[in-house]
């Protein structure tokens, strides 16, 4: 068989399917040949935990005022805010950033996950404080469907959608219904309702649109989506006034974590340990013991306070002393498996809009990596890098375990993209995939108003940060806000106030 050019496209896979350990035993129980063949896993310790190995915790080697677990945007922010405190920051991966992680191809940055931020948000303010100038997106979202590109989908685009007139009318009616609910206010009352309740009288094209938009933004299709989160987002994308508050840089929110990491490493590098997987957090009478595995060795340190900036599914398995109710709440938060694929072209392919929606394909949407810098004086990009969002159903998480499974997902993305419009029928020079097994908590009905408040309650000397302490959807700004609250709480805790007094002092509903 003659090899086609496609056979020679370089395919690079990075990232972890395990968000931490001990996790998802069903994944670890898969046969050895189904185990990951790619970089970025730290399974040895997880296997030992799976096999019921009891770790003899070593004696305490060091003491800190605060230990921060997890080096995503939340943990990094907590470390930055507590930079004058005696802290230790621990991260299981070899790099910092978690879901907000930037990579580069020949000097051009692209996002491997988290893409845009919002002007004026806690994360945008932090970015500015550390010297980063995020730029406005200023581009309403188009949709490509049935071979047609439709600009500003939910405003001017409603008359152009390539559907029968009855379906276009249904889109308009649905928009009017949603905007009426939004105008009436008190949106939290809709948090318990699944979005399907409001879609049932509409044609399937509407559900298909939400089954594209929802998984990309909050990990859930319409049947698993809280109406509250849908309404909040809809106000932005479909409100009468097109008011795009999104800001970003090449690399997305990974540009923020990269800068935070640089700022911290410059002076406080000895307080940051990458490649350190935390296996136990055990509250004692006057301190908390934190045990981690690094380079095959276990180490235990003690802290006066701990910030858990890992997802709750991890925290619930690592922190001892939690009530059954809190464990239940933490473990009932669901997380979507979510690989992201970057196609790198050596010629211009697409620069018509920042974020383009593509219902009915193996990916939900794609963004132009250098959108906000494309018109800057002197900017001459050599490559056109497009970032494709490919959230999966929870049942398909195992597809990420093998290189073949990853390749299949990437091949489908490329094939579907090439078929969208005639000018897309071009091969990229490289395909990069960043796979993550549990990165995005799903905005399911009741998650925001019931589950999150129960899951994030501080436990004496342990504070629970991470974006999944905030909501309603998983956002970098939520991670930063949770870190800010955590840093305030720790500061007060170290000053001697009780957990409850400290929490109420920073306005937390605990
Ligand atoms: C594909 C994708 C696209 C997104 N797009 C956007 C967007 O456009 N805008 C936006 O605002 N948000 C977006 N988000 C959401 C946003 O990225 C997250 O809300 C945010 O990055 C979460 O940060 P965090 O620090 O709270 O958690 P994480 O990023 O999950 O960080 C937790 C860290 O803890 C580490 N960890 C886990 N277990 C252990 C352990 N046992 N020991 C030590 N370390 C451990 C992990 O490795 C990780 O680095 C997106 C998310 C995804 C996945």
């Amino acid at each position: 068989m003659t090899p086609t050019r496609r056979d020679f496209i370089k395919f690079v896979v990075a990232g972890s399917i395990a968000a931490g350990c001990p996790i998802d035993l069903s994944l670890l129980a898969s046969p050895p040949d189904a185990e990951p063949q790619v970089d970025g896993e730290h399974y040895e310790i997880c296997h030992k935990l799976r096999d019921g190995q009891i770790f003899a915790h070593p004696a305490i080697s060091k003491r800190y005022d605060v230990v921060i677990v997890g080096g995503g945007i939340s943990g990094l922010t907590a470390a930055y805010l507590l930079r004058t405190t005696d802290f230790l920051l621990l991260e299981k991966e070899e790099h910092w950033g978690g879901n907000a992680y930037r990579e580069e191809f020949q000097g051009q940055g692209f996002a491997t996950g988290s893409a845009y931020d919002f002007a004026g948000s806690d994360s945008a303010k932090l970015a500015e404080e550390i010297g980063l100038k995020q730029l406005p997106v200023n581009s309403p979202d188009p949709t490509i469907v049935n071979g047609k590109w439709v600009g500003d989908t939910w405003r001017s685009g409603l008359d152009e959608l390539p559907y029968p007139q009855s379906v276009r009318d249904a889109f308009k009616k649905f928009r009017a219904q949603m905007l009426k609910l939004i105008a009436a206010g008190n949106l939290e009352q809709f948090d318990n309702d699944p979005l399907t309740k409001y879609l049932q009288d509409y044609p399937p094209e509407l559900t298909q649109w939400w089954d594209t938009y929802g998984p990309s933004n909050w990990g859930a299709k319409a049947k698993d989506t809280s109406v509250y989160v849908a309404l909040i987002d809809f106000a932005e994308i479909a409100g009468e006034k097109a008011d795009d508050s999104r800001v970003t840089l090449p690399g997305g929110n990974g540009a923020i974590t990269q800068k935070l990491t640089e700022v911290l490493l410059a002076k406080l590098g000895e307080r940051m340990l990458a490649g350190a997987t935390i296996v136990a957090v055990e509250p004692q009478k006057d301190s908390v013991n934190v045990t981690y595995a690094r380079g095959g060795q276990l180490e235990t340190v003690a802290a006066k306070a701990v910030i858990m900036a890992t997802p709750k599914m991890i925290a619930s398995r690592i922190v001892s002393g939690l009530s059954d109710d809190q464990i239940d709440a933490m473990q009932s938060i669901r997380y979507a498996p979510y690989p992201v694929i970057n196609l790198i072209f050596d010629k211009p392919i697409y620069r018509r809009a920042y974020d383009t929606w593509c219902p009915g394909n193996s990916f939900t949407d794609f963004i132009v990596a250098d959108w906000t810098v494309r018109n800057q004086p002197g900017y001459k990009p050599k490559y056109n890098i497009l970032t494709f969002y490919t959230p999966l159903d929870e049942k398909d998480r195992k597809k990420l375990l093998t290189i073949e499974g990853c390749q299949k997902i990437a091949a489908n993305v490329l094939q579907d993209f090439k078929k969208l419009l005639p000018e897309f029928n071009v091969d990229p020079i490289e395909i990069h995939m960043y796979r993550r097994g549990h990165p995005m908590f799903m905005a399911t009905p009741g998650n925001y108003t019931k589950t999150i408040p129960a899951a994030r309650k501080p436990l004496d000397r342990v504070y629970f940060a991470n974006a999944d302490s905030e909501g309603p959807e998983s956002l970098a700004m939520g991670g930063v806000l949770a870190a800010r609250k955590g840093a305030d709480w720790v500061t007060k805790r170290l000053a001697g106030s009780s957990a409850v007094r400290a929490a109420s002092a920073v306005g937390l509903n605990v």
Side-chain angles (χ1 to χ4, degrees):
M1 197 172 80
T2 323
T4 62
R5 171 146 191 243
R6 174 100 55 90
D7 296 328
F8 299 113
I9 299 172
K10 190 172 167 200
F11 181 53
V12 182
V13 185
S16 304
I17 183 166
C21 68
I23 65 125
D24 208 338
L25 298 184
S26 63
L27 285 178
L28 295 176
S30 45
D33 62 354
E35 284 178 8
Q37 312 285 309
V38 287
D39 292 340
E41 292 296 352
H42 307 281
Y43 267 110
E44 199 188 328
I45 196 88
C46 303
H47 277 296
K48 288 183 180 163
L49 283 163
R50 176 193 66 182
D51 298 340
Q53 183 157 334
I54 307 294
F55 291 102
H57 294 182
I60 293 164
S61 60
K62 283 191 189 127
R63 290 179 184 276
Y64 296 89
D65 279 349
V66 53
V67 169
I68 302 161
V69 182
I73 196 164
S74 200
L76 286 166
T77 302
Y80 174 75
L81 296 173
L82 292 166
R83 60 194 179 279
T84 56
T85 310
D86 174 34
F87 77 85
L88 177 69
L89 173 63
L90 300 164
E91 162 59 44
K92 84 174 163 67
E93 297 296 319
E94 295 297 340
H95 65 77
W96 305 92
N99 296 319
Y101 179 54
R102 177 186 188 275
E103 284 193 336
E104 277 187 9
F105 181 76
Q106 312 245 341
Q108 278 183 241
F110 58 86
T112 66
S114 198
Y116 53 82
D117 198 9
F118 298 91
S121 66
D122 284 272
S123 37
K125 285 183 197 148
L126 173 74
E128 199 178 336
E129 186 180 323
I130 57 174
L132 214 55
K133 190 166 167 30
Q134 294 170 307
L135 297 168
V137 165
N138 198 14
S139 160
D141 289 2
T143 293
I144 300 177
V145 67
N146 296 342
K148 185 173 174 191
W149 187 95
V150 177
D152 202 353
T153 312
W154 283 98
R155 296 187 188 90
S156 58
L158 289 175
D159 285 318
E160 294 168 37
L161 288 168
Y163 296 132
Q165 186 61 44
S166 60
V167 175
R168 281 203 292 270
D169 289 344
F171 268 74
K172 287 185 196 169
K173 189 172 157 204
F174 179 82
R175 174 176 183 258
Q177 185 190 1
M178 296 293 267
L179 292 185
K180 204 166 153 199
L181 289 182
I182 292 165
N186 190 14
L187 302 187
E188 282 191 21
Q189 66 177 306
F190 300 108
D191 190 43
N192 290 321
D193 291 343
L195 185 55
T196 34
K197 185 172 156 187
Y198 291 78
L199 287 165
Q200 61 196 2
D201 298 330
Y202 288 94
E205 287 83 351
L206 262 148
T207 299
Q208 187 193 49
W209 196 89
W210 282 102
D211 282 352
T212 303
Y213 190 80
S216 177
N217 282 304
W218 53 78
K221 289 188 171 166
K223 71 177 169 48
D224 289 320
T225 288
S226 143
V227 173
Y228 173 56
V229 79
L231 289 171
I232 291 201
D233 260 52
F234 203 67
E236 278 264 331
I237 58 167
E240 301 299 346
K241 201 163 139 260
D243 192 9
D244 194 345
S245 64
R246 293 173 297 180
V247 289
T248 192
L249 286 171
N253 291 326
I256 308 180
T257 57
Q258 187 181 49
K259 185 77 199 232
L260 261 178
T261 305
E262 279 167 25
V263 168
L264 285 167
L265 283 176
K267 294 217 170 110
L268 299 164
E270 78 286 355
R271 297 187 168 279
M272 299 164 67
L273 294 185
T277 301
I278 284 65
V279 295
V281 173
E282 296 165 312
Q284 311 291 310
K285 190 164 169 287
D286 298 314
S287 61
V288 185
N289 291 353
V290 178
T291 302
Y292 61 90
R294 190 165 185 251
Q297 300 292 318
L298 281 179
E299 185 143 1
T300 299
V301 296
K304 291 179 190 156
V306 168
I307 295 182
M308 289 299 296
T310 59
K312 300 291 172 285
M313 54 170 287
I314 305 292
S316 69
R317 290 170 164 91
I318 290 178
V319 178
S320 40
L322 290 164
S323 70
D324 286 350
D325 284 352
Q326 190 162 0
I327 292 174
D328 281 353
M330 288 178 162
Q331 295 191 355
S332 63
I333 300 178
R334 291 161 61 188
Y335 296 82
Y338 201 157
V340 170
I341 287 163
N342 277 281
L343 299 186
I344 300 170
F345 296 94
D346 58 1
K347 52 175 83 68
I349 301 294
Y350 184 79
R351 283 189 204 278
R352 282 182 84 177
Y354 171 65
D355 192 354
T356 302
W357 295 92
C358 305
N361 289 285
S362 55
F363 56 91
T364 52
D365 57 319
F366 64 96
I367 61 170
V368 175
D370 60 358
W371 177 258
T372 57
V373 299
R374 73 198 185 287
N375 295 327
Q376 289 205 327
Y379 180 68
K380 284 203 186 71
K382 203 166 161 206
Y383 303 98
N384 193 183
I385 305 179
L386 302 178
T387 306
F388 291 77
Y389 290 88
T390 317
L392 303 178
D393 284 344
E394 290 154 293
K395 65 176 171 32
D396 291 330
R397 196 175 336 260
K398 54 185 176 300
K399 288 185 180 168
L400 296 174
L401 276 170
T402 60
I403 194 87
E404 290 76 20
C406 292
Q407 254 163 347
K408 212 175 273 175
I409 293 169
N412 288 339
V413 167
L414 179 57
Q415 185 180 312
D416 286 356
F417 176 68
K418 287 171 77 170
K419 281 199 263 180
L420 279 181
L421 295 176
E423 62 267 35
F424 293 169
N425 192 14
V426 178
D427 277 331
I429 53 163
E430 281 200 21
I431 302 178
H432 287 233
M433 179 175 193
Y434 203 100
R435 70 205 173 113
R436 295 183 173 91
H438 308 73
M440 181 177 272
F441 73 88
M442 296 163 62
T444 50
N447 192 54
Y448 179 59
T449 48
K450 293 201 175 78
T451 311
I452 286 181
R456 70 178 174 206
K457 284 184 195 168
L459 172 77
D460 192 20
R461 292 171 178 273
V462 183
Y463 188 90
F464 297 97
N466 193 279
D468 68 3
S469 284
E470 295 299 324
E473 68 190 81
S474 179
L475 290 172
M477 67 182 187
V480 170
L481 178 61
R484 209 169 268 291
K485 290 180 182 174
D488 284 352
W489 184 88
V490 162
T491 305
K492 292 193 170 71
R493 194 77 182 81
L494 294 179
S497 46
S498 77
V500 173
R501 282 206 314 275
S504 61
V506 293
L508 286 179
N509 300 320
V510 292

